[in-house]
Amino acid sequence: MAKIPLIRKGGNYGQLTVKFSVVNSTAMEGLDYVVPKREVVLADGDRNATIDIVIIDDNIMEFAERFIIRLDEILGGAKFGDLTTSTVTIAKSDFPNGKFGFKGERLQKTVPNPDRQAKKETLSIERTGGVTGQQKVFWRILGPNNPKQVLIETNDINSISENRKVTSGSLIWNDQEAGVKTFDLYLEPYTTWEIEKTFVIQIFDIQGSPQGVGDGEIGPNIGTFTITISKFGHPNGIILFNGIALTERIVDEPETGTLTLRFPIIRRFDTGTVGSVQVFWEIEGPVSAAPDFQPRNGSVVIGDELWNADIEIRILADDVPELTESFKMVLKRVDGGAEFDINNTVSYFKIRYNDYPHGQFGIIPKYQSVIVKPADLSRHVRLNFTRHDGTFGAVLLTFNIRYDVPQSNIIINNTAGTVKFDAATTNVIMELGIVGDGFLAIDSTFTVTLIDVQYLGQGVTMPPKFKLGETETKVIVPAIAANSEVGFKSDLFSVDEVTRTSLITVVRRGTYGTIDVSWKSGLPSNPPVGYRAGKITPQLGTLTIANGIDSRNFTVE
């Protein structure tokens, strides 16, 4: 569809109808174009419209053809301006002078860098479609590595013309001649290492002869051919670790802030330094909830003509107990043409254990007790051993215990023992039975002493130890576990004058077990002056005080 614009200048009031006619020139109505209607309407307020002509698309090769549009009449009160005719050119179609392009299934090729003598590459350009006129096709080489740069130098790739090395040339097809013509390119051998280079051979102009016959056209997507010459040697370098990164390092976490750990990398000294290269890296090793370092991956750039750069990570401070952990800094990928030295892409480092990873052990006074089991009234010393800080691995704790009242005949089932902490265990409780027929006094004590602590695994980094101030403690005997000391609540009791009775209370310190208390009443052996003997009933008895009860009353008259 051809759209020829109309414009209304000046006022835009009212509707206009513009009538036009079409005159054939070299184009013929009905064969080359169709006019759907021969008038155009501009509505009130409109300033622009188009005359629409349908161009007939066929498979016939045709040169450019023309027709003329003439404005004939205008209705609605307006008048014509100066331009009342327009010539429309229908562009030539279907390549009447020929379609030119490189021949081949793939219009790109990668070739090795020649090592001793120039390598010849033959390219073909084909003329298809129309064969009208002699056609001269001009080609040139663009590059290297820049498809917009016309190549001037001939030391990488060239053609030979009149015994001269050139980077452009031409081919001629005579009138009525179709088919393929070829030209040769020569890839020059390297003299030292070279980067990979890409060249584009471009058809950039076609000129027909004699004048006026029309020019051939470049076919879509076939006007260029790409040749890539592989690099020779290592112009961009071989990347590897260097210096302190060549040996395994052990570092300590900082107490505060961060510690910078450097990993130098270089381009090997027998390789090139052409171009910037970007080296991507990653750290492999244990992953914990609290990171040990940052970042875990990234990249670093070695600039053009530079030999080296540093990868840097920050070791972070924390207060989480940890074992010694092993990590690998691994070079993963390099962009920019360089390669890795496959024998030197890993650097090893360790972060040393910290904050007692296997723990500090103690026995805390407030968590120790003497208990009585209700089922059988057996007495036990309950020990609660504590593991502070880290909980890595199994640990064996050795202790002893003694009753602090000598020759009391209070016996503990085990006066020495061990307790095992499994990995991740923070507390272990142990109960030791109290036997013997001795008197266990209230507020007397047992002494518990930690003797030894031993890590049960292999590869211990920092041995477990005792917590300062928690290696020994006293376990106090409470009233509920103590044998009873029995007596009257008071040595003077009053008598109710009405009932002539006296309420007497027996108390005990230590409420362990059920006891029977026998009592008897009587008169004083040395009565005071004026004393008159009376009668007390009952004169004797037995009082039972149940386990856990600290007092009991009885009445005499």
Side-chain angles (χ1 to χ4, degrees), residues 4 54 59 75 112 131 138 182 202-203 272 294 298 324 333 359 371-372 375 377 392 459 461 463 475 479 504 506 546:
I4 295 86
V54 177
N59 295 323
L75 305 176
V131 291
F138 296 87
T182 64
Q202 176 193 52
I203 299 173
Q294 288 180 340
T324 296
R333 189 181 91 239
I371 63 170
V372 177
L377 296 185
F392 292 98
T461 53
V475 186
I504 299 171
V506 176

Side-chain angles (χ1 to χ4, degrees), residues 533-544:
K535 184 179 180 182
I536 300 174
T537 58
Q539 294 184 344
L540 56 83
T542 300
L543 194 65
T544 299

Side-chain angles (χ1 to χ4, degrees), residues 480-494:
I480 60 171
N483 292 108
S484 300
E485 299 175 7
V486 183
F488 290 112
K489 183 177 182 181
S490 174
D491 59 1
L492 182 65
F493 295 95
S494 61

Side-chain angles (χ1 to χ4, degrees), residues 182-433:
T182 64
F183 62 96
D184 295 329
L185 296 178
Y186 295 90
L187 313 184
E188 298 293 339
Y190 58 82
T191 56
T192 181
W193 48 256
E194 290 185 330
I195 64 171
E196 180 179 275
K197 296 180 181 179
T198 297
F199 299 91
V200 175
I201 295 82
Q202 176 193 52
I203 299 173
F204 70 95
D205 191 22
I206 302 175
Q207 296 178 3
S209 179
Q211 186 175 4
V213 75
D215 299 330
E217 299 170 79
I218 302 171
N221 303 317
I222 56 174
T224 61
F225 191 98
T226 301
I227 294 179
T228 298
I229 303 175
S230 300
K231 69 179 181 180
F232 172 73
H234 303 282
N236 306 111
I238 294 179
I239 309 300
L240 68 157
F241 283 113
N242 187 46
I244 56 177
L246 297 177
T247 57
E248 183 177 73
R249 287 172 285 172
I250 300 178
V251 298
D252 295 307
E253 285 186 352
E255 294 183 1
T256 59
T258 61
L259 170 70
T260 298
L261 191 62
R262 294 173 50 250
F263 297 83
I265 59 173
I266 62 170
R267 306 195 214 213
R268 209 170 67 190
F269 294 118
D270 60 344
T271 63
T273 59
V274 175
S276 296
V277 295
Q278 186 172 15
V279 180
F280 294 84
W281 56 268
E282 182 177 351
I283 295 178
E284 298 178 357
V287 178
S288 55
D292 297 301
F293 50 81
Q294 288 180 340
R296 199 171 185 93
N297 53 55
S299 67
V300 65
V301 173
I302 302 178
D304 182 34
E305 298 300 328
L306 297 180
W307 285 100
N308 64 300
D310 285 343
I311 298 170
E312 293 186 352
I313 64 172
R314 302 182 307 279
I315 308 298
L316 307 178
D318 64 40
D319 56 1
V320 179
E322 294 175 300
L323 297 174
T324 296
E325 296 177 311
S326 298
F327 299 93
K328 296 190 297 184
M329 167 70 74
V330 183
L331 303 181
K332 303 296 267 187
R333 189 181 91 239
V334 58
D335 291 347
E339 301 174 19
F340 286 135
D341 182 336
I342 61 173
N343 296 315
N344 196 347
T345 59
V346 179
S347 181
Y348 298 89
F349 69 99
K350 293 180 179 180
I351 300 178
R352 200 189 311 271
Y353 58 83
N354 65 294
D355 301 310
Y356 301 102
H358 300 298
Q360 296 189 84
F361 294 82
I363 185 160
I364 302 172
K366 66 180 180 179
Y367 298 136
Q368 319 309 316
S369 59
V370 178
I371 63 170
V372 177
K373 294 192 174 181
D376 58 2
L377 296 185
S378 59
R379 292 180 286 187
H380 302 263
V381 180
R382 173 176 284 178
L383 301 178
N384 190 336
F385 301 92
T386 300
R387 184 186 210 174
H388 303 275
D389 301 320
T391 59
F392 292 98
V395 174
L396 189 68
L397 198 62
T398 303
F399 69 94
N400 62 28
I401 183 171
R402 70 176 186 275
Y403 184 49
D404 293 330
V405 179
Q407 299 179 349
S408 60
N409 205 27
I410 293 297
I411 302 171
I412 306 172
N413 283 343
N414 296 293
T415 58
T418 59
V419 58
K420 181 183 177 184
F421 281 79
D422 292 322
T425 302
T426 57
N427 291 86
V428 174
I429 295 175
M430 174 179 284
E431 295 178 356
L432 303 176

Side-chain angles (χ1 to χ4, degrees), residues 60-272:
I60 301 172
M61 290 185 290
E62 295 178 292
F63 294 96
E65 298 173 310
R66 298 174 178 82
F67 60 89
I68 299 170
I69 298 176
R70 181 182 296 119
L71 303 182
D72 296 327
E73 183 181 3
I74 186 168
L75 305 176
K79 64 179 183 178
F80 288 125
D82 294 335
L83 299 178
T84 58
T85 62
S86 177
T87 300
V88 179
T89 300
I90 303 174
K92 67 180 178 180
S93 61
D94 301 301
F95 307 103
N97 298 107
K99 178 175 71 173
F100 293 85
F102 288 99
K103 184 177 177 59
E105 293 183 3
R106 299 182 69 237
L107 301 184
Q108 59 182 21
K109 187 174 186 180
T110 299
V111 296
N113 207 315
D115 60 352
R116 288 185 176 84
Q117 59 184 12
K119 175 179 173 58
K120 184 172 74 172
E121 291 289 337
T122 299
L123 300 188
S124 300
I125 296 178
E126 184 177 21
R127 180 185 193 180
T128 58
V131 291
T132 300
Q134 182 188 81
Q135 302 294 328
K136 189 174 185 179
V137 176
F138 296 87
W139 60 265
R140 64 188 176 187
I141 304 175
L142 307 177
N145 302 329
N146 184 349
K148 297 182 179 180
Q149 173 180 286
V150 177
L151 182 67
I152 297 175
E153 299 295 331
T154 60
N155 53 340
D156 289 309
I157 184 172
N158 57 69
S159 184
I160 303 297
S161 176
E162 298 179 353
N163 295 320
R164 292 188 309 110
K165 293 180 178 180
V166 296
T167 57
S168 62
S170 62
L171 297 172
I172 295 177
W173 279 259
N174 292 320
D175 182 39
Q176 303 302 310
E177 181 183 11
V180 174
K181 293 184 181 291
T182 64
F183 62 96
D184 295 329
L185 296 178
Y186 295 90
L187 313 184
E188 298 293 339
Y190 58 82
T191 56
T192 181
W193 48 256
E194 290 185 330
I195 64 171
E196 180 179 275
K197 296 180 181 179
T198 297
F199 299 91
V200 175
I201 295 82
Q202 176 193 52
I203 299 173
F204 70 95
D205 191 22
I206 302 175
Q207 296 178 3
S209 179
Q211 186 175 4
V213 75
D215 299 330
E217 299 170 79
I218 302 171
N221 303 317
I222 56 174
T224 61
F225 191 98
T226 301
I227 294 179
T228 298
I229 303 175
S230 300
K231 69 179 181 180
F232 172 73
H234 303 282
N236 306 111
I238 294 179
I239 309 300
L240 68 157
F241 283 113
N242 187 46
I244 56 177
L246 297 177
T247 57
E248 183 177 73
R249 287 172 285 172
I250 300 178
V251 298
D252 295 307
E253 285 186 352
E255 294 183 1
T256 59
T258 61
L259 170 70
T260 298
L261 191 62
R262 294 173 50 250
F263 297 83
I265 59 173
I266 62 170
R267 306 195 214 213
R268 209 170 67 190
F269 294 118
D270 60 344
T271 63

Side-chain angles (χ1 to χ4, degrees), residues 20-48:
F20 64 90
S21 59
V22 180
V23 179
N24 292 334
S25 178
T26 53
M28 304 299 293
E29 183 176 357
L31 295 178
D32 299 306
Y33 66 92
V34 174
V35 184
K37 57 183 180 179
R38 298 180 184 269
E39 65 180 28
V40 177
V41 175
L42 284 83
D44 180 38
D46 286 349
R47 289 189 176 276
N48 296 282

